Amino acid sequence: MQIARGLKALRARAGLTQSEAAKRAGVSVGTVNRYETWQDRAKLRIPTVRAIADTCGATPQELDTLVKLVRNQENGWWMDHPAVPEVMDPLMSFEDVAEYEHVFANALVPGLLQTPRYALALHEAQDVRTEADVIASKVDARLKRQAILDRSPALHLWVVLDEAVLRRRVGGIDVMVEQINHLHAMAQRPNIDIQVLQFAVGAHAAGSGGHFLILGRDDEGDPHGSMNVIYLELHRRGLYLDAPADVQNYKLMFDYLRSQAADTSVSLEILADVRQELTDERGTDR
C-alpha cells in the first residue's frame, strides 16, 4: 500500500497519465495500474518500481525509500514460509517497518502476545481435520512473527484487550494461566502497553466491531516513508485500509477505547486477579 500510494503520488506530481508513465517506463498500462492499485501485493519487483518512479521524477531519497519497501517484501522470512497465507504477507511487511502497532482484541489474545500452547490450542480448534505437522507449521509462523517485539529500534505495541479475551478458556486452565502470566510479563516491557476493557464498562467505542490493528510510522522528512494502515481481521482473510478518513476514524476509535479501558497499572492488577482465580480453580479441581 505504501508503494502503491507512493507511485501514484509521484505520477500525479509529474502530471502524467498512467498511459504516459507506462510508455516512458517501458511497461504496460496494466502494470502501472496494478502497481498503483496494490493488486500485485507480494509480486512487486524492484526494476519495475524503479522504472516507474524514475519516469515520474522521483528524487534519490524517494526512490531509495520505495526500493527498500520492495526489498523488504522480497526478503521477508514470511515469503517462503508455507504456513503464512498470502493475505498476511502485507501485514508482516508493514510490521517490519512500523514504529508502532495499536491493537483492539475483542475475543482472542493478539498473535504477537500468544504463548506456543495458546497458539496451538487455537489452531487445533480452528483447523479441524488438519494434519498435526501443518498445525505445527502455523504455530511456528506465529511465533516467528513475534520477533518483531525484540528488534532494535523496538516496535511500540499498545493493546486494548476486551475482558472476554481473559475469560475465554482457550486450551484449558493450565494454558490460560501460562498465557496470562505471559501477558503480565510482556506488559512490563518498556515497548508494550496492555489495557483491559472491563465488562463493567458496558457499551464501548468499538461497538459490535471486531479485532483490528493500526500500524504506523511517521516520517516528516520523507512523506513516502510514512505509513498508516488499518488491518481488519476477518474469518480466514483480512482487509487492509489506508484511506485517510478510514485511518482517522480507527485512530479516534482506539483513543476512545484507551480512555474507556483500565489504565496500564490497574490492568496489571486485573491480569494478576484473573490469573489467581484460575490458579485457585485449578487447585480445587485437583
Side-chain angles (χ1 to χ4, degrees), residues 10-21 24 52 55-57:
L10 287 172
R11 183 176 60 78
R13 188 179 70 190
L16 299 174
T17 65
Q18 285 190 344
S19 179
E20 291 169 335
R24 296 185 187 185
I52 296 173
T55 292
C56 295

Side-chain angles (χ1 to χ4, degrees), residues 97-156:
V97 297
E99 291 178 342
Y100 60 85
E101 181 170 329
H102 296 166
V103 184
F104 171 63
N106 67 327
L108 301 169
V109 173
L112 289 178
L113 295 174
Q114 291 175 10
T115 63
R117 290 207 296 168
Y118 186 97
L120 176 61
L122 278 182
H123 281 296
E124 287 178 337
Q126 294 171 356
D127 303 315
V128 181
R129 298 182 180 177
T130 300
E131 296 179 358
D133 60 336
V134 175
I135 290 179
S137 183
K138 291 185 176 185
V139 173
D140 176 72
R142 185 155 299 187
L143 299 180
K144 281 187 175 179
R145 179 183 161 213
Q146 295 175 0
I148 199 72
L149 297 175
D150 298 316
R151 77 173 191 204
S152 181
L155 174 77
H156 184 191

Side-chain angles (χ1 to χ4, degrees), residues 169-189:
R169 296 187 180 180
V170 175
I173 291 180
D174 285 347
V175 171
M176 286 305 299
V177 168
E178 180 182 65
Q179 177 63 71
I180 292 174
N181 269 333
H182 183 64
L183 289 173
H184 194 276
M186 296 296 281
Q188 296 177 70
R189 286 193 179 191

Side-chain angles (χ1 to χ4, degrees), residues 63-237:
L63 184 58
D64 183 60
T65 297
L66 289 170
V67 168
K68 284 181 178 177
L69 289 171
V70 180
R71 186 169 289 121
N72 177 65
Q73 287 190 342
E74 291 181 339
N75 298 334
W77 64 265
W78 53 88
M79 297 301 297
D80 297 320
H81 199 294
V84 178
E86 183 177 341
V87 72
M88 291 292 287
D89 288 341
L91 176 60
M92 305 293 192
S93 296
F94 294 143
E95 281 184 339
D96 202 47
V97 297
E99 291 178 342
Y100 60 85
E101 181 170 329
H102 296 166
V103 184
F104 171 63
N106 67 327
L108 301 169
V109 173
L112 289 178
L113 295 174
Q114 291 175 10
T115 63
R117 290 207 296 168
Y118 186 97
L120 176 61
L122 278 182
H123 281 296
E124 287 178 337
Q126 294 171 356
D127 303 315
V128 181
R129 298 182 180 177
T130 300
E131 296 179 358
D133 60 336
V134 175
I135 290 179
S137 183
K138 291 185 176 185
V139 173
D140 176 72
R142 185 155 299 187
L143 299 180
K144 281 187 175 179
R145 179 183 161 213
Q146 295 175 0
I148 199 72
L149 297 175
D150 298 316
R151 77 173 191 204
S152 181
L155 174 77
H156 184 191
L157 178 65
W158 198 313
V159 178
V160 175
L161 294 175
D162 192 294
E163 187 176 343
V165 174
L166 307 180
R167 301 297 179 182
R168 184 177 301 279
R169 296 187 180 180
V170 175
I173 291 180
D174 285 347
V175 171
M176 286 305 299
V177 168
E178 180 182 65
Q179 177 63 71
I180 292 174
N181 269 333
H182 183 64
L183 289 173
H184 194 276
M186 296 296 281
Q188 296 177 70
R189 286 193 179 191
N191 63 313
I192 298 177
D193 292 289
I194 296 177
Q195 292 181 259
V196 177
L197 184 64
Q198 295 176 279
F199 288 147
V201 170
H204 52 74
S208 60
H211 189 113
F212 68 83
L213 286 70
I214 304 172
L215 298 113
R217 185 181 72 240
D218 302 316
D219 189 342
E220 296 181 0
D222 179 12
H224 291 291
S226 296
M227 175 184 72
N228 283 284
V229 177
I230 309 300
Y231 174 70
L232 306 181
E233 192 163 285
L234 308 176
H235 182 61
R236 297 194 182 280
R237 69 187 187 94

